[in-house]
Amino acid sequence: MEVSASKRKTWSAFVGKKENYFTRLKKNASSHWQLYLLMLLPIIYLLLFKYVPMYGALIAFKNYIPTKGVWGSEWVGMKHFDRFFHSYEFVRIMKNTILLSMYSLFAGFPFPIILALSLNYVNARFFKKTVQMITYAPHFISTVVMVGIILQMMDPRVGLVQTIMKYFGLPTVNFMGIPEWFSHVFVWSGIWQNVGFSCIIYLAALAAVDPSLHEAAVMDGANKIRRMWHVDLPGIMPVAVILLIMNTGHVLDIGFEKVLLMQNPLNMSASEVIDTFVYKVGLASTAINYSYSSAIGLFKSVINLILLVLVNRLARKLGQTSLW
C-alpha cells in the first residue's frame, strides 16, 4: 500500500522537528553545560528515589513471599484490591480519611492567607517580626513532641484546657477519649502548627503585587479592607489556586505519624485512616501481609492522582490557572 503524500509530508515535518530539537539541545548543552550538570542531580534523585521504587508496586498484584522475590511470587491480579473493597474496615477507613483530609483542607486553607494579609499591612517592624517568629516556631517542633504537648494540654486531670474549663465551672471532657472530638483536635492543632510557615508563600506573592495598584486604590479612597479585597486577593489568587490543587493531590495522604500517636482504643473508630491501617497491616501486624498493604497504598496513590488531574483541569477551565 502506497503512503499518501500528506502522510509523508507530516512524517517529514515530525522528523525535522525532532532533529531540530536535538540539534538545539546539543548546542545548548555545549554552551551551558554547567546548568545541565546542575540539573542532572535532581533528575538522578527523582529516578533513584521516585521512579525506581515503582517497581515494587508489582507486589500489589502478587502473593508476595520475600524468599521467592517479586518475580518468583504468585500472580494474583486484583485479589488484594477486591479484598480491601469488600472488607468491613473499608467504609470506616475511607470515611475517616476523607473527613480528616477535607476538614484539614478547607479549615486550614484561609488562615495562612488571612495571616499574610494582616502582616502585610503591619508597619511596626518589631511587632511584625515577633508575630512571624511566634507563628513560624511551632512548624519546627517534631510531630512526637507536638503530640506530647497536645496530650498534656488535653489531659482530663491536670491538662491546661481542663484547668481553664474547671475555672469557668465547666465539666471536664476527655477530648482524646471521645471519637467525635478527635477530628477537631487533629485539625486545629495542625493549623496552629503550620499556619505561620504556610503564609510565607503568600507573603512572597504579596511582595510581587504592583505598588501602583495600591496607589491608585488609595487615590480612589479605598481603605485597607477594600485594598485587600480588590488588589491583594486577586494578586495572590493564582498562587492560592496552585497550592489548593497541590493539596487536593494529597487528599488521602493524612500521614500516619500524628494520627498513630494520637490514637487510643477509645477513639479508634474515628482515628483509623488509610496510612495507619497500611502501617499496621504491612509492618506492625503479627501476620505481615506486604501484598495487601501495597495494594491499599497503590489504591490511595491512584485516587490522589485522579483527583489532582481533575481539579487541575477544573481550575484551568474556571480561572485559567493550573499546574499544567
Side-chain angles (χ1 to χ4, degrees), residues 275-308:
D275 291 320
T276 57
F277 186 72
V278 169
Y279 166 73
K280 293 174 182 177
V281 171
L283 294 175
S285 175
T286 55
I288 297 177
N289 194 329
Y290 296 111
S291 296
Y292 186 41
S293 59
S294 298
I296 300 172
L298 183 59
F299 161 74
K300 182 193 71 172
S301 300
V302 171
I303 296 299
N304 284 336
L305 177 61
I306 293 173
L307 289 175
L308 177 65

Side-chain angles (χ1 to χ4, degrees), residues 66-202:
T67 56
K68 293 183 177 181
V70 177
W71 291 107
S73 300
E74 178 188 1
W75 179 272
V76 294
M78 302 296 290
K79 174 184 175 181
H80 300 297
F81 295 93
D82 186 69
R83 174 186 170 186
F84 178 59
F85 297 152
H86 291 89
S87 65
Y88 70 92
E89 301 104 337
F90 177 75
V91 175
R92 177 171 61 92
I93 291 173
M94 292 300 299
K95 177 184 176 182
N96 293 339
T97 304
I98 295 174
L99 174 63
L100 282 177
S101 182
M102 290 299 179
Y103 191 178
S104 301
L105 181 63
F106 291 109
F109 180 73
F111 285 96
I113 299 176
I114 295 172
L115 180 61
L117 291 174
S118 303
L119 291 175
N120 192 51
Y121 284 88
V122 173
N123 295 322
R125 183 178 179 85
F126 177 78
F127 177 77
K128 181 177 181 179
K129 295 297 182 182
T130 302
V131 172
Q132 286 179 316
M133 184 187 68
I134 293 174
T135 55
Y136 294 171
H139 177 78
F140 299 98
I141 301 176
S142 70
T143 303
V144 177
V145 176
M146 179 59 65
V147 173
I149 295 173
I150 295 171
L151 295 179
Q152 288 296 322
M153 292 179 64
M154 297 294 178
D155 190 278
R157 294 172 297 176
V158 296
L160 176 62
V161 176
Q162 305 295 345
T163 303
I164 295 174
M165 293 177 66
K166 289 178 182 178
Y167 179 81
F168 288 101
L170 299 174
T172 58
V173 178
N174 185 8
F175 292 101
M176 302 309 299
I178 302 176
E180 290 76 12
W181 277 101
F182 179 85
S183 60
H184 302 299
V185 176
F186 178 86
V187 171
W188 291 103
S189 62
I191 294 174
W192 166 50
Q193 185 177 9
N194 298 312
V195 64
F197 191 80
S198 299
C199 83
I200 295 176
I201 299 176
Y202 295 109

